[in-house]
């Protein structure tokens, strides 16, 4: 069984045609400072696959504010575009960034991590050479039909801050951290992803290989 990250990657890169969920361009500009791990309501990030033309439909990540996921308070982030429409639920605080799970609006499914997946460490621990990770189980249910369970599996993950680098995308030039993510599913299959994270900006390259092309904040 492939990890959910691999499945999401294949779906995201295969869905190239515009759809009803294709996001509009960034509109509202936010000029106030944002946090180290940006999460303020109204923040928007626009992404394109590497090598995409500027007139191709983009992906957009939007910070929606607080909500509830499996009875826990969480911050909601919507990822949409090219046939994708997904809500991520995270905790962001002194312990870093933890992913509780996500909901797929199109397929009407929900994935919950137990324990939550640690995406980023506490702010002071994000430095070159830092590592973190763990093991989690993820349960997939339908958001209809009384949340019927349709799949369950385990996942091991490990993050390593490989170095500091300067990154250049259509959104500008940045200095941040190059992070490697290794995932191992229950069958022992290991996959590696690279993330570029810039403090007070967010991911300028996502684990799916999407590059930041625009944002609506400083």
């Amino acid at each position: 069984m492939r990890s959910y990250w691999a499945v999401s990657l294949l779906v995201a890169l295969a869905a190239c045609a515009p759809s009803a969920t294709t996001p509009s361009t960034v509109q509202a500009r936010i000029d106030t400072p944002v946090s180290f791990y940006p999460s303020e309501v109204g923040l928007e990030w626009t992404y394109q696959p590497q090598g995409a033309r500027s007139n191709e439909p983009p992906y957009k990540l939007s910070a929606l504010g607080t909500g509830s996921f499996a009875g826990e308070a969480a911050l909601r982030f919507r990822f949409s575009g090219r046939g994708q429409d997904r809500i991520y639920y995270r905790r962001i605080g002194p312990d870093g960034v933890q992913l509780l799970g996500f909901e797929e609006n199109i397929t009407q499914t929900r994935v919950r991590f137990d324990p939550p997946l640690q995406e980023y460490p506490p702010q002071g621990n994000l430095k070159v050479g830092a590592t973190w990770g763990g093991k989690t189980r993820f349960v997939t249910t339908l958001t209809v039909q009384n949340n019927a369970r349709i799949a369950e599996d385990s996942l091991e993950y490990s993050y390593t801050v490989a170095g500091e680098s300067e990154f250049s995308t259509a959104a500008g030039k940045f200095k941040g951290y190059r992070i490697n993510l290794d995932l191992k599913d229950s069958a022992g299959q290991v996959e590696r992803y690279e993330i570029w994270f810039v403090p007070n900006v967010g991911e300028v390259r996502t684990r799916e290989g999407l590059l930041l092309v625009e944002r609506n904040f400083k």
Side-chain angles (χ1 to χ4, degrees):
M1 177 179 179
R2 297 181 66 84
S3 71
Y4 86 96
W5 292 123
V7 173
S8 296
L9 173 61
L10 292 173
V11 171
L13 297 185
C16 297
S19 72
T21 59
T22 297
S24 60
T25 57
V26 173
Q27 296 179 355
R29 183 77 185 178
I30 297 176
D31 295 320
T32 56
V34 301
S35 54
F36 186 87
Y37 294 125
S39 60
E40 286 77 9
V41 176
L43 297 185
E44 294 180 350
W45 300 258
T46 303
Y47 294 93
Q48 286 278 21
Q50 188 170 357
R53 296 185 301 272
S54 60
N55 62 348
E56 292 184 38
Y59 296 97
K60 185 166 72 175
L61 180 68
S62 307
L64 303 181
T66 58
S68 178
F69 183 79
E72 296 185 57
L75 294 173
R76 297 174 298 136
F77 295 82
R78 183 187 180 197
F79 180 80
S80 59
R82 299 197 186 199
Q84 303 288 299
D85 193 359
R86 182 180 308 125
I87 305 293
Y88 289 103
Y89 293 85
R90 294 181 167 99
R91 283 198 300 250
I92 302 178
D95 294 328
V97 181
Q98 297 172 328
L99 178 63
L100 305 182
F102 59 90
E103 294 177 345
E104 296 279 3
N105 291 329
I106 295 175
T107 61
Q108 295 185 308
T109 55
R110 176 185 293 123
V111 175
R112 178 174 178 268
F113 295 100
D114 184 21
L117 192 150
Q118 187 81 38
E119 291 186 297
Y120 287 95
Q123 174 178 334
N125 294 352
L126 188 64
K127 58 189 69 175
V128 176
T131 62
W132 66 95
K135 185 174 183 178
T136 184
R137 293 197 66 80
F138 58 96
V139 177
T140 304
T141 58
L142 293 171
T143 55
V144 292
Q145 299 180 9
N146 296 318
N147 293 316
R149 182 176 299 196
I150 57 176
E152 182 174 349
D153 208 340
S154 62
L155 179 71
E156 292 184 48
Y157 63 97
S158 175
Y159 289 85
T160 302
V161 182
E164 278 190 284
S165 300
E166 292 187 352
F167 309 118
S168 181
T169 75
K173 294 183 178 180
F174 307 92
K175 184 175 182 179
Y177 298 100
R178 192 175 68 258
I179 301 172
N180 292 330
L181 168 60
D182 292 325
L183 297 174
K184 183 167 72 172
D185 62 21
S186 59
Q189 179 178 349
V190 178
E191 296 169 345
R192 169 163 287 192
Y193 302 87
E194 183 172 283
I195 302 163
W196 301 344
F197 176 81
V198 177
N200 308 108
V201 174
E203 293 180 353
V204 300
R205 183 186 193 274
T206 72
R207 60 178 58 84
E208 295 87 2
L210 303 178
L211 298 180
L212 182 70
V213 297
E214 193 175 2
R215 55 184 169 136
N216 72 337
F217 59 97
K218 292 182 178 180

